[in-house]
Amino acid sequence: MSTARNKLRAQCLEAADQISAECAAVLAGVGHDGRSSSSSSANRTATTKPDLDSQLAGCGEPLVQLLGRQAAQVLRLFGGGSGRPTPGQVSGQEGGPWPGPAPKAGDKAVKLLLQRLDDLLSLSYARFYAYLFAKLPACWRLLYTDAAVLRFAVLYLSSSWPVREQGVGPTAADAEEGEAKEKADADAERQLREMIKTLDLAVILAGGAGERRGRRWIDAAFGLLEEDWASRRSNGGRSAGETDGEERRPKRPRASRPGATAAANNPWASTPSFSSYEPFTPPVGHPIPRVQAPSFEAFQAYLSHREGSNPGPLPLVLTALIDDWPARTTRPWCKPAYLLSRTFGGRRLVPVELGRSYVDDGWGQQILPFGEFLEEHIVRATEGRVPAAGDPPSLEPKSPRTTGYLAQHPLLSHLPALRADILIPDLCYTSPPRLPRPSTATTTSGRTSAEAPQDEDDPDPDPDPHLNAWLGPPGTITPLHTDPYHNLLAQVVGRKYVRLYAPWVGRPASEGGIGDGGARAMRARGREGGVEMGNTSSVDLGVVEGWDRMAEAEDGDQEEGWEDEFRRLPYLDCILEEGDVLYIPVGWWHYVRGLSVSFSVSFWWN
């Protein structure tokens, strides 16, 4: 048995033992520190950070008991009965250690255990719909994550992957048994994808909640799972559905030698890149200034400087800031083969937005394997199209295929292998100004300062920036909107068009601050379908400028002549080239349009 398999088996059984013990403690009314749960909870609230894993009690005794029984059953089936007994075992509802070898996938005991865990996942996820995610009680996220961890453990410990023998090639017997081997490979692939799906959903839906079995546990499990799978598949062909370049990674490049070229030290240099095809490129009317990447001190001075009557800093395009990122050199994000290699052969799941823009009718979301998203929504959207001189712009898409966009997703914490390919710019640790407030109006707290206190406009005082990834084909659109953070938008692959309007647009300079002039001028939406959309404009910029056709469902609810008024508003715009970084000050309204296949990373900070 491989070292990775031994480690992952031990990790799974340890998690089951922890869950069993924690559930028993909750049911007995005892916290991890040995005190009653009510007493320890009160003391934690008053003195220390709560123990996240102890909050399962909020799910209620029946669900905690059900979770504990499943954890004990995992230990009984796969761990020789090790671990602490649950109340169900003590009362005789569950037997002693499993007689004989551990059951395999498809066995009755495994099916029953998986069904019970699926019930727990469904019950906990149903509670997600009763709250905004930010206000969702931690107990439901914990219950979902723990049930997912147990489900993964059952799938892994009951799996039966065929092992390829070192140095053994095809034989006549292999040919005779080819159909059976193909079926075994297909079964192994199906089992693997089910394991990946279970853990990825725990991250995407529940945030990988928990201190002992949360995100770190899941990341470690994925690392060991991939190592185990590779060790079993490395010497005997491929798994079902596997394509060239998915599993077999080039060896780690050696250190650069004097005179060696970048290509010689980049094992991905010879693999195909994403298409650079651009169906349409908007004209730039009021270019944003471009400067060489400034020093920390110079950027801080720029943020603190006020140009003319502007209440805050202006947007700026920074060049040469991310030239040394591995994502742009030896671990190139412009290469589909590389991205597949960092997503478990494209098997990892990601949330994808389906539709041209999140404000359009018919827009939706779907969770897809990364490889399927890449193939269906990136590669096929541009295959056979190459940029040509004089290629006319088109208002119609190449095909009726629905646009898929991996947008505003914390992909780099979801997939740590990609996180290592970028560096957080030092500029994200500057102290930027707060969102300007009107100097002639009273704020909600009674202050008349031109700037609001930090706690009023900073939705999250975390000192580290929030990282989001944006990957999509040509034609993706993020509609005109505003964010409560300062933003560095790094363009790693491809090109984007960005237009920005100041938060004080439409407000006379003599009044100072921004008031609500920006929201009025941008025709901000209100509450729609129970969701607050006040940070998003009702203006479809592409339609107003004649770049896109108006959807049939759109109606002329706006007053006559408003388009001309909107077109007269001052703005700044640019085309972000590969390697550029755009500084977007807090509160600025911005519209973003993917021109080619595009991969960007945004850094939000206050």
Side-chain angles (χ1 to χ4, degrees):
M1 188 179 294
S2 71
T3 300
R5 183 162 178 78
N6 281 327
K7 288 181 178 179
L8 187 50
R9 183 179 187 279
Q11 181 173 321
C12 289
L13 293 175
E14 181 184 22
D17 191 46
Q18 289 174 356
I19 294 171
S20 177
E22 289 170 14
C23 290
V26 168
L27 294 172
V30 177
H32 289 305
D33 52 9
R35 293 175 289 182
S36 70
S37 58
S38 58
S39 169
S40 60
S41 177
N43 283 311
R44 280 195 302 270
T45 301
T47 61
T48 63
K49 178 182 178 181
D51 180 356
L52 190 60
D53 295 319
S54 70
Q55 296 181 27
L56 271 174
C59 295
E61 181 176 332
L63 290 179
V64 174
Q65 188 175 58
L66 182 59
L67 178 66
R69 286 179 177 175
Q70 307 326 303
Q73 184 71 342
V74 171
L75 294 171
R76 177 174 177 251
L77 296 180
F78 304 105
S82 61
R84 304 165 178 81
T86 68
Q89 287 177 297
V90 173
S91 63
Q93 296 176 26
E94 297 176 357
W98 184 256
K104 295 298 182 183
D107 289 355
K108 182 177 179 180
V110 172
K111 287 183 176 179
L112 181 59
L113 181 52
L114 288 174
Q115 181 58 57
R116 289 174 174 173
L117 290 169
D118 285 342
D119 291 342
L120 277 168
L121 290 170
S122 296
L123 287 167
S124 56
Y125 186 59
R127 300 295 298 177
F128 288 24
Y129 291 96
Y131 303 89
L132 293 173
F133 190 79
K135 296 183 178 179
L136 177 67
C139 63
W140 300 111
R141 295 173 54 225
L142 287 166
L143 179 61
Y144 188 99
T145 303
D146 277 349
V149 164
L150 291 177
R151 189 177 194 275
F152 169 82
V154 174
L155 292 170
Y156 182 73
L157 296 173
S158 65
S159 65
S160 53
W161 294 343
V163 180
R164 307 300 189 187
E165 296 182 18
Q166 180 77 26
V168 177
T171 65
D174 288 334
E176 294 175 3
E177 300 173 1
E179 187 175 338
K181 289 180 178 293
E182 185 176 336
K183 182 180 183 301
D185 279 351
D187 287 343
E189 179 71 20
R190 177 186 53 77
Q191 291 173 8
L192 176 66
R193 288 183 180 269
E194 193 64 23
M195 295 176 209
I196 292 171
K197 175 183 176 181
T198 298
L199 290 187
D200 267 333
L201 288 181
V203 173
I204 295 170
L205 301 181
E211 294 171 357
R212 291 197 279 180
R213 295 174 304 280
R215 185 66 63 87
R216 285 193 296 271
W217 192 99
I218 292 172
D219 288 345
F222 269 126
L224 292 171
L225 180 66
E226 190 164 8
E227 184 179 342
D228 183 25
W229 177 261
S231 70
R232 290 165 178 263
R233 316 297 294 174
S234 59
N235 293 291
R238 325 288 266 279
S239 62
E242 187 177 317
T243 60
D244 289 342
E246 283 189 358
E247 289 293 338
R248 297 182 178 180
R249 304 181 188 176
K251 294 180 180 179
R252 183 182 298 275
R254 297 179 181 178
S256 299
R257 302 183 305 276
T261 64
N265 290 283
N266 181 358
W268 307 98
S270 61
T271 64
S273 299
F274 287 118
S275 168
S276 59
Y277 170 69
E278 292 187 13
F280 173 64
T281 304
V284 174
H286 304 280
I288 298 171
R290 300 172 63 88
V291 299
Q292 188 86 0
S295 66
F296 183 93
E297 294 76 14
F299 189 62
Q300 181 64 69
Y302 179 80
L303 296 177
S304 303
H305 176 69
R306 297 293 178 270
E307 183 177 327
S309 60
N310 296 323
L314 304 180
L316 198 60
V317 175
L318 311 176
T319 63
L321 185 63
I322 62 172
D323 288 351
D324 59 345
W325 279 12
R328 300 202 62 240
T329 53
T330 56
R331 287 174 255 168
W333 286 8
C334 63
K335 306 284 188 176
Y338 175 76
L339 296 177
L340 289 172
S341 78
R342 290 299 183 265
T343 54
F344 211 146
R347 299 179 182 91
R348 295 295 300 272
L349 302 186
V350 290
V352 177
E353 296 184 359
L354 298 177
R356 188 186 70 110
S357 165
Y358 67 75
V359 296
D360 287 355
D361 290 337
W363 178 89
Q365 292 178 299
Q366 186 177 5
I367 295 175
L368 297 173
F370 184 85
E372 182 179 334
F373 162 67
L374 214 60
E375 176 66 21
E376 291 294 324
H377 297 288
I378 306 292
V379 175
R380 289 188 182 178
T382 55
E383 64 183 353
R385 302 301 297 264
V386 294
D391 196 11
S394 172
L395 296 178
E396 301 292 346
K398 170 180 174 275
S399 73
R401 178 182 291 110
T402 301
T403 299
Y405 194 15
L406 200 167
Q408 196 170 323
H409 177 58
L411 183 71
L412 305 182
S413 57
H414 182 179
L415 300 173
L418 291 176
R419 171 64 182 84
D421 297 346
I422 70 161
L423 305 170
I424 297 179
D426 290 344
L427 306 185
C428 292
Y429 296 97
T430 51
S431 297
R434 303 170 182 132
L435 180 65
R437 300 299 192 202
S439 59
T440 57
T442 303
T443 65
T444 55
S445 59
R447 298 182 179 88
T448 57
S449 170
E451 289 187 348
Q454 187 70 30
D455 59 0
E456 282 191 9
D457 63 285
D458 186 355
D460 187 348
D462 189 339
D464 291 321
H466 295 265
L467 279 61
N468 284 310
W470 313 75
L471 171 61
T476 56
I477 291 173
T478 301
L480 199 56
H481 71 288
T482 182
D483 296 313
Y485 297 94
H486 292 265
N487 183 6
L488 287 180
L489 179 62
Q491 190 63 21
V492 186
V493 177
R495 306 203 312 160
K496 279 182 172 173
Y497 172 83
V498 187
R499 180 180 290 193
L500 301 103
Y501 294 86
W504 52 84
V505 67
R507 182 178 179 84
S510 60
E511 296 185 19
I514 64 171
D516 60 355
R520 287 199 308 270
M522 292 295 101
R523 300 178 176 270
R525 294 169 178 264
R527 195 168 184 81
E528 300 178 2
V531 178
E532 178 53 54
M533 297 285 288
N535 76 321
T536 302
S537 171
S538 61
V539 176
D540 189 329
L541 188 62
V543 171
V544 170
E545 293 292 353
W547 306 334
D548 301 312
R549 299 191 189 280
M550 180 181 294
E552 291 182 6
E554 292 186 31
D555 194 3
D557 292 336
Q558 310 274 13
E559 67 273 15
E560 186 176 351
W562 72 269
E563 296 99 331
D564 292 334
E565 178 185 343
F566 184 85
R567 291 189 189 99
R568 287 193 293 269
L569 294 174
Y571 65 85
L572 295 172
D573 60 349
C574 70
I575 289 179
L576 271 186
E577 304 284 352
E578 208 165 271
D580 286 349
V581 176
L582 173 62
Y583 166 59
I584 303 176
V586 64
W588 277 66
W589 295 78
H590 49 290
Y591 166 94
V592 186
R593 185 184 188 105
L595 304 181
S596 63
V597 173
S598 172
F599 203 158
S600 314
V601 178
S602 61
F603 300 86
W604 285 353
W605 90 105
N606 278 334

